[in-house]
């Protein structure tokens, strides 16, 4: 019995190699598939050419050609196995021995660029949102178009800044605490003209007891024209008679200077702004200050005043030698200190202080219909600079008094107004 397959008997096996080869020499070495022991054969793809399905033909091995035969080359005879051209043995799919290349270095320039874009976009959105929020809080109640017979427009911008004694928003307890009394309606407690221009900013206080003539005017509510009769009153009486429009008309008529914008703040608003910035430091002169009517009771020296104390300070007149004239100087002094306090980085860069301050100020301000945030900001920075550089603060020049009314020095007032109209450096001195 022959134990070998057909054609593989012992007779024909001797001296021959392979599959019935008649040659006494062995066949050329064949490159066998390289398959790791215990690992599945890698799938096709990923750069490995699709192999033709082999078949067994007549007991003679695989049909089709290998090693360049019949135009097909699997790539095995070159040693390229699942690797990149050049023959690495690693990198095949599923190969746990595969080694990854080094991770690319981070692109810091790109990261910095996108971080800057995000930060700048956030700042723009915040700024725009803050602008519209602040603009919506302005109380544009004064209509300057109702003012008749106005002077010609000069150079620069003129603001009429009014501190009223309005008790609006104050409880009975607050009125008692602030020593405001309970008078109905409202009157002007302080009045100032702020001129902004290219030759320095000028702040001019108008004493409330100034003697002025009430001109012809149109009633702000009735629309009726009231002819002037040459009647003289104290300046603050004009406001009490027909409000901001008549006050502007009276100031323009008696000075010849056109007012571009009107700004008013009441007792409560003033105190709230001071509290919002954390108080304002003031240097009280030697001898201190005490006035039972305003509630002022301060020792000499530097000290920080809260809202209630600040209101008492700017309203005090009876404890001062110059009465209303000295009071206007204290008002200018305090407003300058307040503006400098608000403009510090600790306020501007701190949203927990900036927004309450803006809210307290804007909620309590009454402005004209044409006043914008830009105009308000320009006014604020001018108030901050009046005591520095080319800026100047002064009282309206006074020549004397009659019946308790303060008389303006007409010659000096005319010279002052001419300098302001022409936006020239102010040389006129006040009281």
């Amino acid at each position: 019995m022959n134990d070998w397959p057909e054609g593989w008997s012992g007779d024909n096996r001797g001296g021959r190699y392979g599959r019935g080869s008649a040659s006494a020499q062995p066949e050329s070495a064949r490159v066998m598939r390289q398959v790791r022991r215990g690992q599945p054969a890698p799938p096709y793809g990923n750069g490995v050419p699709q192999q033709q399905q082999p078949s067994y033909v007549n007991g003679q091995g695989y049909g089709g050609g290998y090693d360049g035969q019949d135009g097909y080359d699997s790539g095995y005879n070159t040693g390229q196995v699942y690797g990149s051209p050049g023959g690495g043995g690693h990198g095949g799919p599923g190969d746990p021995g595969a080694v990854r290349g080094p991770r690319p270095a981070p692109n810091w320039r790109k990261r910095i660029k996108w971080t800057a874009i995000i930060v700048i976009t956030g700042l723009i959105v915040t700024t725009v949102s803050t602008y519209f929020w602040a603009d919506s809080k302005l109380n544009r109640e004064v209509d300057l178009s109702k003012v008749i017979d106005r002077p010609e427009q000069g150079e620069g911008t003129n603001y009429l800044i009014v501190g009223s004694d309005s008790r609006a928003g104050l409880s009975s307890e607050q009125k008692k605490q602030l020593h405001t009394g309970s008078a109905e309606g409202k009157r002007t407690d302080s009045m100032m003209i702020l001129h902004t221009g290219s030759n320095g900013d000028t702040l001019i206080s108008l004493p409330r007891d100034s003697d002025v003539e009430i001109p012809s005017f149109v009633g702000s509510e009735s629309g009726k024209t009231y002819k002037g009769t040459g009647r003289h009153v104290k300046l603050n009486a004009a406001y009490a008679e027909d409000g901001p429009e008549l006050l502007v008309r009276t100031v323009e008529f008696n000075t010849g200077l056109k007012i571009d914008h009107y700004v008013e703040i009441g007792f409560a608003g003033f105190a709230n702004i001071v509290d919002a910035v954390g108080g304002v430091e003031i240097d009280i002169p030697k001898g201190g200050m005490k006035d039972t009517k305003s509630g002022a009771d301060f020792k000499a020296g530097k000290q920080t005043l809260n809202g209630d104390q600040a209101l008492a300070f700017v309203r005090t007149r009876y404890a001062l030698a110059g009465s209303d004239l000295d009071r206007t100087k204290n008002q200018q002094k305090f407003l300058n200190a307040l503006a400098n306090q608000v403009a510090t980085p600790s306020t501007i860069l701190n949203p927990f202080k900036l927004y309450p301050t803006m809210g307290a100020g804007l909620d309590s301000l009454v402005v004209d219909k044409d006043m914008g945030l830009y105009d308000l900001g320009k006014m604020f920075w001018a108030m901050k600079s009046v005591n520095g550089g080319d800026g100047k603060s002064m009282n309206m020049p006074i020549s004397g008094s009659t019946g308790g009314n303060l008389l303006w020095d007409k010659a000096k007032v005319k010279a002052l107004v001419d300098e302001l109209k022409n936006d020239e450096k102010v040389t006129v001195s006040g009281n």
Side-chain angles (χ1 to χ4, degrees), residues 208-217 226-239 241 245-256 402 405-408 410:
R208 56 180 289 178
D209 294 338
S210 297
D211 185 86
V212 294
E213 179 182 341
I214 298 294
S216 300
F217 68 96
Y226 297 89
K227 293 294 183 179
T229 61
R231 176 168 52 102
H232 281 246
V233 298
K234 291 182 178 180
L235 182 58
N236 67 337
Y239 181 95
E241 186 172 332
E245 288 85 358
L246 178 55
L247 178 61
V248 171
R249 168 70 175 134
T250 302
V251 169
E252 290 186 342
F253 177 82
N254 286 270
T255 63
T402 177
N405 292 3
L406 297 175
L407 299 175
W408 292 354
K410 293 183 179 180

Side-chain angles (χ1 to χ4, degrees), residues 60-78:
Q60 300 301 311
Y62 288 88
Y66 285 92
D67 305 330
Q69 301 177 28
D70 296 339
Y72 176 75
D73 183 0
S74 67
Y76 289 112
N77 62 349
T78 64

Side-chain angles (χ1 to χ4, degrees), residues 209-390:
D209 294 338
S210 297
D211 185 86
V212 294
E213 179 182 341
I214 298 294
S216 300
F217 68 96
V218 175
S220 58
E221 297 295 333
S222 65
K224 181 180 178 181
T225 299
Y226 297 89
K227 293 294 183 179
T229 61
R231 176 168 52 102
H232 281 246
V233 298
K234 291 182 178 180
L235 182 58
N236 67 337
Y239 181 95
E241 186 172 332
D242 198 49
E245 288 85 358
L246 178 55
L247 178 61
V248 171
R249 168 70 175 134
T250 302
V251 169
E252 290 186 342
F253 177 82
N254 286 270
T255 63
L257 186 67
K258 184 177 180 180
I259 300 299
D260 298 294
H261 293 293
Y262 178 92
V263 181
E264 176 188 327
I265 188 169
F267 283 163
F270 181 82
N272 289 340
I273 293 175
V274 174
D275 285 335
V277 298
V280 175
E281 185 179 76
I282 285 291
D283 189 1
I284 304 297
K286 185 177 180 180
M289 181 185 297
K290 188 170 184 178
D291 184 357
T292 57
K293 291 191 176 182
S294 69
D297 188 3
F298 308 118
K299 295 180 179 180
K302 289 185 177 181
Q303 51 199 285
T304 299
L305 307 184
N306 62 26
D308 295 355
Q309 294 170 327
L311 188 58
F313 176 78
V314 299
R315 293 181 62 224
T316 295
R317 62 184 299 195
Y318 295 104
L320 305 175
S323 188
D324 200 35
L325 291 177
D326 282 349
R327 178 171 72 164
T328 57
K329 294 176 183 178
N330 281 342
Q331 291 170 346
Q332 292 176 352
K333 178 180 178 181
F334 187 87
L335 288 177
N336 180 260
L338 175 60
N340 278 280
Q341 176 71 20
V342 173
T344 58
S346 62
T347 299
I348 295 177
L349 300 180
N350 183 355
F352 297 102
K353 184 179 286 188
L354 175 63
Y355 283 94
T357 301
M358 292 179 65
L362 296 173
D363 280 340
S364 57
L365 287 180
V366 175
V367 300
D368 64 271
K369 293 184 180 297
D370 295 325
M371 173 73 89
L373 284 179
Y374 173 79
D375 302 304
L376 196 61
K378 185 179 176 182
M379 182 197 81
F380 172 80
W381 288 107
M383 288 179 62
K384 180 178 179 295
S385 68
V386 290
N387 287 335
D390 294 328

